[in-house]
Amino acid sequence: MWPYPRILAHRGGGTLAPENTLAGFRCGLEHGYRAAEFDVMLTRDEVPILMHDPQRGRTLPGAGKIAESDWAELRDLEAGAWLDARFAGERLCTLEQGLDFCLAEGIWMNVEIKPAAAEFARRTGELTAQAVARRFAGKSGAALPVLSSFSFEALLAAKEAAPALPRGYLVDVIPEDWQARLEQLQAVALHTNHKHLTPSLAAAVKTAGYGLFCYTVNDMARAEEIRQWGVDAFCTDRIDLIAADAW
């Protein structure tokens, strides 16, 4: 049910490096992580980039929405100094650059499709899936990344664009119709917030034959607890505290 790595670096390098950057992936590697989760969003001119927030201000200087900015406006912005001065000069990473780096370094990927707004859901899912599918043409099984998203519409579009890529439906609180949604998506897994998971819900997901992935687990005792419930894998911000091979 889960042939993939079991512990992933959240947004590349957890909280130890600027999220969704090549510096993050390098940090993950330094801590033994060859599996990472990251977010993909579209710019106004439809360049898929690694980005979590729909607007500037936290990880990028200035103001403005990502969906209202072209790649040329964003590509040279400072994307590392917000976390620590030693990351000054780090730049945004395109999906293509992220895929290239991860493939070259043998990093398995959970690619979260992150539409900047609902109206961009289908296009973000489509373009993200197409880009990943191009890189993984001819490959199958555990070598393939998993595409995940909180957006049901984005995952439906990804399914249509690249049906061979595995999908994980991402939710904060598991809804009553979770199984119907997984079936419609032909998903391989349910991804959910560990804080709202219960033993009975975990058992139901596993009994139904799906993988079960949790975000964001930063304590090893909690990781062991949900493992006993049947959770297959999780991502963490604390790659310095939780070893990549702890499970």
Side-chain angles (χ1 to χ4, degrees):
M1 288 185 237
W2 188 265
Y4 314 109
R6 295 188 174 273
I7 308 180
L8 282 61
H10 187 221
R11 302 183 192 171
T15 54
L16 303 189
E19 64 186 54
N20 291 316
T21 64
L22 296 184
F25 294 133
R26 293 188 188 101
C27 182
L29 287 172
E30 290 170 3
H31 286 79
Y33 275 76
R34 290 190 178 274
E37 179 269 359
F38 58 81
D39 307 291
V40 179
M41 189 176 292
L42 294 184
T43 62
R44 178 170 53 193
D45 51 344
E46 296 193 332
V47 176
I49 63 171
L50 273 54
M51 188 72 187
H52 179 274
D53 295 7
Q55 64 282 317
R56 291 159 62 179
R58 184 176 68 89
T59 63
L60 290 178
K65 296 180 179 180
I66 300 302
E68 295 176 357
S69 304
D70 290 336
W71 171 236
E73 302 172 54
L74 301 172
R75 63 189 307 166
D76 294 325
L77 292 178
E78 172 62 57
W82 65 272
L83 183 66
D84 192 282
R86 70 180 185 277
F87 295 113
E90 190 67 25
R91 297 293 182 252
L92 283 176
C93 180
T94 66
L95 174 58
E96 299 284 354
Q97 291 170 332
L99 292 172
D100 285 346
F101 184 90
C102 289
L103 279 167
E105 298 293 339
I107 299 173
W108 183 82
M109 293 165 272
N110 174 2
V111 181
E112 182 182 337
I113 303 166
K114 199 82 165 176
E119 60 264 34
F120 307 117
R122 290 195 61 84
R123 190 61 171 158
T124 308
E126 177 185 19
L127 292 181
T128 301
Q130 288 175 347
V132 175
R134 283 194 298 270
R135 285 296 197 283
F136 285 84
K139 298 183 180 180
S140 61
L144 295 176
V146 168
L147 304 180
S148 65
S149 186
F150 284 104
S151 170
F152 188 76
E153 290 302 314
L155 280 180
L156 279 179
K159 173 177 171 286
E160 295 166 7
L165 293 177
R167 290 165 295 282
Y169 183 40
L170 182 54
V171 297
D172 181 24
V173 178
I174 298 176
E176 291 185 2
D177 63 347
W178 64 267
Q179 190 165 357
R181 286 184 169 257
L182 289 174
E183 290 173 356
Q184 188 174 349
L185 291 168
Q186 295 179 342
V188 300
L190 183 69
H191 296 202
T192 191
N193 189 338
H194 75 96
K195 295 178 182 179
H196 305 308
L197 187 64
T198 65
S200 59
L201 282 171
V205 174
K206 297 307 299 176
T207 299
Y210 293 100
L212 182 56
F213 178 91
C214 283
Y215 72 91
T216 303
V217 182
N218 295 324
D219 178 81
M220 198 59 209
R222 177 58 171 170
E224 288 299 337
E225 181 180 26
I226 61 175
R227 184 183 189 182
Q228 295 302 314
W229 298 354
V231 171
D232 295 295
F234 66 91
C235 63
T236 183
D237 282 324
R238 296 308 306 267
I239 63 174
D240 54 332
L241 299 181
I242 298 177
D245 59 355
W247 275 17

